Amino acid sequence: MTREEKSQVIEDLTAELANNANIYLTDISGLNAGSTSDLRRAAFKANVQMAVVKNTLLEKAMEASDKEFGDLASVLKGNTSVMYSETGNAPAKLIKNFRKKSEKPLLKGAFIEEAVYIGDEQLDMLVDIKSKEELIGEIVTLLQSPAKNVISALKSGGGTIAGIIKTLSEKEG
């Protein structure tokens, strides 16, 4: 690889790092061609981009990036694949699901919305991270509960103020 080609790869990686808030570093070494193909297919279905990278070039891209990756560069040893996703927990769920039938990929580290996670033991915690959409859904559900109670009271209270008050007080108790 020429110096110009390396510079281009570093520039491309730096742009990918800038454009993605959720970045996972994994080890897929030892997967055979069929398993690697299955993993890539599963990543595509989960809307997760995946690429094998050269550690030295990724490290230079991380240094050139505006993001603070903390100790994440320390995991850049051996085979490294990068996974990018819009949803913070999508790659973690993909890895966990894929490992039901294979011992790889291993999680080396992750950068999720400015937080750094190091090591495969973080996988379960990353699976449990809620996406923005999941959090918004929970908040909307919580906000709808009081309104549903009032509507229910209006319907079951017989249309009189005394009936509505009685129904609401019974729900509180």
Side-chain angles (χ1 to χ4, degrees):
M1 187 180 279
T2 67
R3 181 173 296 198
E4 291 80 23
E5 290 170 333
K6 286 180 182 178
S7 293
Q8 185 59 51
V9 170
I10 292 169
E11 192 176 306
D12 293 345
L13 282 170
T14 304
E16 284 289 344
L17 295 175
N19 292 333
N20 289 283
N22 305 301
I23 302 158
Y24 282 66
L25 304 179
T26 63
D27 176 2
I28 64 169
S29 64
L31 288 181
N32 63 31
S35 294
T36 301
S37 179
D38 290 345
L39 178 61
R40 288 186 181 280
R41 198 172 302 109
F44 180 78
K45 286 180 183 175
N47 204 22
V48 174
Q49 296 176 30
M50 190 174 123
V52 177
V53 295
K54 191 167 171 81
N55 289 329
T56 55
L57 301 180
L58 180 57
E59 186 170 10
K60 289 181 193 281
M62 289 168 78
E63 290 169 2
S65 171
D66 292 337
K67 295 181 179 174
E68 179 53 53
F69 289 103
D71 291 336
L72 200 55
S74 68
V75 304
L76 296 176
K77 296 172 181 72
N79 183 303
T80 302
S81 294
V82 182
M83 293 183 177
Y84 305 104
S85 175
E86 293 282 323
T87 307
N89 64 1
K93 287 179 177 180
L94 170 70
I95 292 167
K96 187 162 181 145
N97 191 40
F98 199 80
R99 290 213 329 225
K100 290 177 182 174
K101 56 187 175 230
S102 175
E103 59 186 45
K104 298 259 177 129
L106 294 176
L107 176 67
K108 291 177 151 191
F111 178 86
I112 313 295
E113 303 281 343
E114 300 179 11
V116 175
Y117 302 87
I118 305 286
D120 195 60
E121 63 278 356
Q122 303 292 324
L123 186 62
D124 286 333
M125 183 174 56
L126 292 172
V127 166
D128 293 338
I129 288 177
K130 299 229 184 274
S131 70
K132 288 178 186 174
E133 293 79 17
E134 290 169 327
L135 286 174
I136 290 169
E138 286 183 7
I139 290 169
V140 168
T141 301
L142 288 172
L143 292 174
Q144 285 177 339
S145 280
K148 286 180 182 174
N149 288 342
V150 170
I151 291 168
S152 170
L154 288 170
K155 288 179 180 175
S156 67
T160 65
I161 292 189
I164 294 168
I165 293 171
K166 180 180 179 213
T167 304
L168 284 174
S169 66
E170 288 171 358
K171 285 190 181 225
E172 287 182 22

